Short mmCIF file of all heavy atoms in Angstrom, two decimals:
data_model
loop_
_atom_site.label_atom_id
_atom_site.label_comp_id
_atom_site.label_asym_id
_atom_site.label_seq_id
_atom_site.Cartn_x
_atom_site.Cartn_y
_atom_site.Cartn_z
N MET A 349 -207.65 -4.70 -87.30
CA MET A 349 -208.31 -4.12 -86.07
C MET A 349 -208.95 -2.84 -86.27
O MET A 349 -210.12 -2.60 -85.67
CB MET A 349 -207.19 -4.02 -85.10
CG MET A 349 -206.54 -5.38 -84.48
SD MET A 349 -205.48 -5.13 -83.07
CE MET A 349 -204.07 -4.33 -83.90
N ASN A 350 -208.50 -2.05 -87.21
CA ASN A 350 -209.17 -0.68 -87.31
C ASN A 350 -210.45 -0.71 -88.15
O ASN A 350 -211.28 0.07 -88.08
CB ASN A 350 -208.18 0.27 -88.11
CG ASN A 350 -207.17 0.85 -87.01
OD1 ASN A 350 -207.55 1.87 -86.40
ND2 ASN A 350 -205.94 0.31 -86.83
N THR A 351 -210.51 -1.80 -89.15
CA THR A 351 -211.68 -1.74 -89.98
C THR A 351 -212.73 -2.85 -89.68
O THR A 351 -213.87 -2.79 -90.13
CB THR A 351 -211.26 -2.00 -91.49
OG1 THR A 351 -210.53 -3.35 -91.50
CG2 THR A 351 -210.21 -0.94 -91.82
N GLY A 352 -212.22 -3.89 -88.86
CA GLY A 352 -213.17 -4.97 -88.59
C GLY A 352 -213.41 -5.97 -89.72
O GLY A 352 -214.25 -6.67 -89.72
N CYS A 353 -212.49 -5.77 -90.79
CA CYS A 353 -212.67 -6.68 -92.03
C CYS A 353 -211.47 -7.52 -92.03
O CYS A 353 -210.29 -7.15 -91.58
CB CYS A 353 -212.81 -5.81 -93.20
SG CYS A 353 -214.28 -4.68 -93.22
N GLU A 354 -211.57 -8.65 -92.72
CA GLU A 354 -210.38 -9.42 -93.15
C GLU A 354 -209.80 -8.59 -94.37
O GLU A 354 -210.36 -8.13 -95.19
CB GLU A 354 -210.95 -10.93 -93.60
CG GLU A 354 -211.16 -11.82 -92.52
CD GLU A 354 -210.02 -11.94 -91.60
OE1 GLU A 354 -208.97 -12.19 -92.16
OE2 GLU A 354 -210.22 -11.87 -90.40
N ILE A 355 -208.44 -8.62 -94.31
CA ILE A 355 -207.68 -7.80 -95.32
C ILE A 355 -207.09 -8.68 -96.38
O ILE A 355 -206.40 -9.64 -96.02
CB ILE A 355 -206.49 -6.99 -94.63
CG1 ILE A 355 -206.99 -6.20 -93.34
CG2 ILE A 355 -205.80 -6.24 -95.64
CD1 ILE A 355 -208.10 -5.11 -93.82
N GLU A 356 -207.34 -8.40 -97.62
CA GLU A 356 -206.83 -9.17 -98.74
C GLU A 356 -205.76 -8.02 -99.43
O GLU A 356 -206.37 -7.28 -100.26
CB GLU A 356 -207.93 -9.57 -99.67
CG GLU A 356 -207.40 -10.38 -100.78
CD GLU A 356 -208.43 -10.99 -101.79
OE1 GLU A 356 -209.56 -11.41 -101.16
OE2 GLU A 356 -208.38 -10.88 -102.99
N PRO A 357 -204.48 -8.31 -99.26
CA PRO A 357 -203.60 -7.37 -99.86
C PRO A 357 -203.42 -7.64 -101.29
O PRO A 357 -203.35 -8.75 -101.76
CB PRO A 357 -202.34 -7.49 -99.02
CG PRO A 357 -202.36 -8.96 -98.73
CD PRO A 357 -203.85 -9.27 -98.52
N VAL A 358 -203.20 -6.57 -102.12
CA VAL A 358 -202.74 -6.55 -103.46
C VAL A 358 -201.45 -5.61 -103.48
O VAL A 358 -201.36 -4.74 -102.66
CB VAL A 358 -203.73 -6.14 -104.48
CG1 VAL A 358 -205.01 -7.11 -104.57
CG2 VAL A 358 -204.29 -4.70 -104.23
N ILE A 359 -200.57 -5.88 -104.46
CA ILE A 359 -199.43 -5.05 -104.61
C ILE A 359 -199.41 -3.93 -105.51
O ILE A 359 -199.99 -4.30 -106.66
CB ILE A 359 -198.09 -5.84 -104.77
CG1 ILE A 359 -196.78 -5.28 -104.55
CG2 ILE A 359 -198.17 -6.64 -106.14
CD1 ILE A 359 -195.67 -6.09 -104.56
N SER A 360 -199.01 -2.79 -105.20
CA SER A 360 -199.13 -1.61 -106.18
C SER A 360 -197.73 -0.82 -106.00
O SER A 360 -197.01 -0.91 -104.98
CB SER A 360 -200.22 -0.79 -105.93
OG SER A 360 -201.47 -1.49 -106.11
N VAL A 361 -197.38 0.15 -107.02
CA VAL A 361 -196.28 0.77 -106.93
C VAL A 361 -196.48 1.97 -105.73
O VAL A 361 -197.61 2.57 -105.79
CB VAL A 361 -196.11 1.56 -108.27
CG1 VAL A 361 -194.89 2.55 -108.17
CG2 VAL A 361 -195.91 0.65 -109.33
N GLU A 362 -195.49 2.07 -104.91
CA GLU A 362 -195.56 2.91 -103.84
C GLU A 362 -195.98 4.37 -104.29
O GLU A 362 -196.73 5.02 -103.52
CB GLU A 362 -194.34 2.98 -103.10
CG GLU A 362 -194.29 3.87 -101.89
CD GLU A 362 -192.97 3.65 -101.05
OE1 GLU A 362 -192.57 2.61 -100.79
OE2 GLU A 362 -192.58 4.77 -100.71
N SER A 363 -195.28 4.94 -105.22
CA SER A 363 -195.66 6.33 -105.60
C SER A 363 -197.06 6.44 -106.09
O SER A 363 -197.69 7.55 -105.88
CB SER A 363 -194.71 6.83 -106.66
OG SER A 363 -194.80 5.92 -107.89
N ASP A 364 -197.66 5.42 -106.70
CA ASP A 364 -199.04 5.49 -107.07
C ASP A 364 -199.78 5.50 -105.90
O ASP A 364 -200.85 6.16 -105.92
CB ASP A 364 -199.33 4.32 -108.02
CG ASP A 364 -198.68 4.33 -109.39
OD1 ASP A 364 -198.14 5.44 -109.72
OD2 ASP A 364 -198.73 3.36 -110.18
N ILE A 365 -199.67 4.72 -104.88
CA ILE A 365 -200.44 4.58 -103.69
C ILE A 365 -200.35 5.93 -103.00
O ILE A 365 -201.59 6.57 -102.70
CB ILE A 365 -199.97 3.53 -102.77
CG1 ILE A 365 -200.00 2.24 -103.41
CG2 ILE A 365 -200.61 3.70 -101.35
CD1 ILE A 365 -199.44 1.08 -102.50
N LEU A 366 -199.31 6.56 -102.90
CA LEU A 366 -199.24 7.94 -102.19
C LEU A 366 -199.89 9.02 -103.01
O LEU A 366 -200.62 9.88 -102.37
CB LEU A 366 -197.75 8.24 -101.98
CG LEU A 366 -197.02 7.34 -100.97
CD1 LEU A 366 -195.45 7.69 -101.02
CD2 LEU A 366 -197.53 7.56 -99.66
N ALA A 367 -199.78 8.94 -104.24
CA ALA A 367 -200.62 9.84 -105.00
C ALA A 367 -202.05 9.81 -105.06
O ALA A 367 -202.76 10.70 -104.89
CB ALA A 367 -200.09 9.85 -106.58
N LYS A 368 -202.55 8.50 -104.94
CA LYS A 368 -203.90 8.27 -104.87
C LYS A 368 -204.44 8.70 -103.50
O LYS A 368 -205.49 9.17 -103.32
CB LYS A 368 -204.24 6.83 -105.27
CG LYS A 368 -204.09 6.53 -106.72
CD LYS A 368 -205.17 7.26 -107.49
CE LYS A 368 -205.14 6.77 -109.01
NZ LYS A 368 -206.17 7.37 -109.78
N VAL A 369 -203.55 8.41 -102.49
CA VAL A 369 -204.05 8.71 -101.10
C VAL A 369 -204.24 10.26 -101.00
O VAL A 369 -205.23 10.68 -100.46
CB VAL A 369 -202.83 8.25 -100.10
CG1 VAL A 369 -203.17 8.94 -98.74
CG2 VAL A 369 -203.04 6.73 -99.92
N SER A 370 -203.28 11.06 -101.55
CA SER A 370 -203.52 12.45 -101.56
C SER A 370 -204.62 12.90 -102.39
O SER A 370 -205.31 13.76 -101.97
CB SER A 370 -202.19 13.16 -102.13
OG SER A 370 -201.07 13.00 -101.34
N GLU A 371 -204.91 12.26 -103.49
CA GLU A 371 -205.99 12.63 -104.34
C GLU A 371 -207.40 12.32 -103.59
O GLU A 371 -208.32 13.12 -103.65
CB GLU A 371 -206.06 11.85 -105.61
CG GLU A 371 -207.16 12.00 -106.65
CD GLU A 371 -207.04 11.24 -107.70
OE1 GLU A 371 -205.87 10.89 -108.15
OE2 GLU A 371 -208.09 10.87 -108.29
#
Side-chain angles (χ1 to χ4, degrees):
M349 287 188 293
N350 277 276
T351 63
C353 298
E354 284 300 312
I355 305 300
E356 184 176 319
V358 295
I359 190 168
S360 296
V361 178
E362 182 178 313
S363 59
D364 290 348
I365 292 173
L366 294 173
K368 288 293 183 180
V369 167
S370 294
E371 178 184 329

